[in-house]
Every structure is written in C-alpha cells, then in structure tokens.
Amino acid sequence: MGINPYLIGPTDGLPNTPSAAAIAPLDRNGATYGTNGATSDLLRPLTSPTEDTVQHEDSPRAAEPVTLPTQRAAGCPFDPPAGLAELRERRPLARMTYPDGHVGWLATGHATIRAIMADPRFSSRYELMHHPFPGAGEGPLPPAPVGDMTGMDAPEHTRFRRLLAGRFTVRRMRQLSARVEEITTEHLDAMERRGPGADLVEAFARPLPALMICELLGVPYDDRDRFQGHAHTLMAMDVTPEDRYAAFVGLQEYMAGLVAAKRAGHPRDSDDLLGDLARDSDLTDEELVGVGGFLLAAGLDTTANMIAHGTFALLRHPAQAEALRTEPDLAPQAVEELMRYLTVAHTGVKSALEDVELDGRLIRAGESVTLSFEAANRDPERFPDPDVLDLRRKATGHLGFGHGIHQCLGQQLARVELTVALPALLRRFPTLRLAVPAEEVPLRTDMSIYGVHRLPVTWDEV
C-alpha cells in the first residue's frame, strides 16, 4: 500500500492493499508473459487493428461509458458494490467516465485484470493516472513521493524491490511465527482479564500487526500516537488534499527523526530493517525516510482490517467459524479464502503507456484503467460459487495481494499474522458474538482499505 498524499493504491506495500503492492522472483506470477516469453491470448501486441476486430472509443458498437459503482447493498457488508457483477458479466472491460471527465476503462474480469497487472505497457506512475473516486480534487496527480513503490515503474521500482524482497521471504516471515503467537496470546489474555465486551479493532485487530511492523522496522511502538493518526488520514478517501498532504508530511517528519537516529547509532545497535538499510544499502536519507514511511503506513492498516472484517464475516457464517475453530490445519487455506471473499484492498489504477489491444478493445496510450479486485475475486469464471464463503475452497490465484511486480511485498507476514490470530481468537472465546446488530457495525466505506471502523463483540465468561 502506497502513501502518496493524493492517491492510495491497493498493492505493493505491506498488507495488502490493498494497494493495497511477490516475495519470490519479481516476475513469478506473470500471466501474460510466461517463462518462454509467450504472450497471453487476452493481451497481444497491437498489430494494425481494424474496426472489424477492435472496438475503438468512438465505435458505434461501443457502449456508453459507465461510472465506477461504489454503493454497497444494504445488509450485504461482505459483497462488492452493487453493479460490479452485472458489469463483469456483460463487459469485463468497459469504458468508464472518471470524476475529472477523463474517459478510460473499468476492468472487472479476473483474467483481464491479471493480464493488465503483468504487462509492462501499463504504468503505475501516479502522474499518469486519473483518480477513479470522487472528491480527489481536479487536475493531474503529482508523482509518487520518494520511496513510495506503489507509484513506481521499472527500473526504479526494481531497485527498491530487490533491496527489500529478501527481507520478506517466506522463511523469514515464518521465523516470526513464535513472536506473532506471543503477541496474540498477550492480547487475548488482556481481553479475558477485562471480561466480556470489547471493540475487537482496538483490543486485538489493530495492535497485533502494529506491534509486528514496528518491531520489524525498528519503530518504537510507544510512538504509535504520533504516526497512527497520520496513517489513518492517508488511507481515508473523504479528506481534503490539504489534510492528506499534512498527514504525509507529519509521517515523513517522524521517519526523518528515526532515520537520523539509526544513522547516528552504533552499526550493531539496530537489529531491524531500518537499521539494516541504514547500514548496508546505498539508499540516501531521503529514500530511507520515504521507504520507511511507506512500509510503516502499509503495515499498520490492511492486516488489521483483515483480522477485524474476517472475524465479522466468520461470526456471520457460524459453520465456517466452527470449522476454523476445530480444525487447526484449515487455517492457511481459510486465510486465502477470506482474502478472496473480502478483498479489503479493493481497487487499483493503471495507465497505458502505448496502444494496447485487450479483450477485443483498444486501450489508447494515456488512458487509465481502473482495476476492481473485488469484482475479479468474485468472478465465476475463476471461482465457482464465488459469493459463497467456503474455507475449504482452494482460493489460489486470488488478487487480494495484487499480482505482478507490484504484488504485496508483505503478503507472507500478513499470512502468518492471520493464520495465527483468527483461529486463536475463536478458540479462546468459543462463544464470541456480535454485541450489536450486524447492520449497526460501522463499515469503512470512506476508506481505501475496506473493513469495519469498530467491531463490538462479547462472549460468555468462563
């Protein structure tokens, strides 16, 4: 998840988004360009397309542009906004009118979005994009701040990714399992001592990933009041550009002080990511401040929302919750299905660097394409019965962590946290339930990472 003060993407950063932002080789999941360099049938180099084979924006056969559906149906807190499914069925790649008047595209099909995300002819640079949500202000977006990998293309993106990818491998993140279990137990113990009744967001979902990302980066958790508010503002969709920029500056100023302390300390004083980068990388102070703020903001929000919103979904699907509570081996598979079903990092944007033919349509250079990950993860062409939460489903290939070179850097850390936290919560409090009617749970419809603002729960005291 990036921290551009004007645009938040759902991929590349720590979860992950969605965007927000692979641990394996950078092109591991390329669906368009395989190991033999073959090109997908969906996405082909443009070779003299004609009106008979490609629909141009001014083609008489082209449908009227749509606007991005954002309104979720009442009583359906886990489903994508109404209208996305119909669009995906009729036109998985449709013309779309953006709030600033730009006419670009909306992609809702799973195969279509994977193809776009794996193709270097589509850029992630913010200054080339048009924002898909109302209220983002008018005029062009500024370039990504230094260190914000979500808004970079290769080769700049490759440089940062190579510096960081080795520090977020599957092996390294699994080595953190014991610490995740320790933090989880501490917070469940505290909930039990206080007795029935809690806001699960504040008591459990938010502290666990916050403590982990702080320890991983070398950020003092006691400073959380100084940076959590800034991170929250950066993720909001309804704040003014001025407030967003002020939050960005505040977070950067905090990180600048921390980086200066890392640089000034003894080389072996810091056994953490920022200390390692300060000691062993060629990053400038500005780059280290930027990438540190990027990782911190990303790591605070998305996994917290997956824990809280995932618990909400499980409490509304008691048979699934019981399966996860009683079958420990189900946890890894359950996490993948929850990532697919909920898709809290729901929307991304790419812009075409050149004319590209895709799904029989011509995307012209300079046009933005909005990527609806939540629609793609409910695509029946990829996932049978996609609107059913089934923890035994093999949900591999979901786009909850993105895809391509901007796939979420911290996805393995998120997997460890979710695999530990959700079953432990259900086992500790087998009578866990909502403390308010489901329709009174406040949803994060105003945020770039979906979920719940609060989750009031209670349980029977043992």
Side-chain angles (χ1 to χ4, degrees), residues 24 29 43 60 113 119 133 139 145 165 188 213 231 248 276 298 312 387:
N29 289 309
L43 190 54
I113 290 177
D119 193 299
F133 295 103
L188 294 177
I213 191 60
F248 170 75
D276 288 349
F312 186 18
D387 296 325

Side-chain angles (χ1 to χ4, degrees), residues 331-352:
Q333 191 169 314
V335 167
E336 301 304 318
E337 170 66 353
L338 286 165
M339 289 294 303
R340 179 202 71 83
Y341 183 72
L342 298 175
T343 316
V344 297
H346 48 79
T347 309
V349 186
K350 293 274 192 175
S351 290

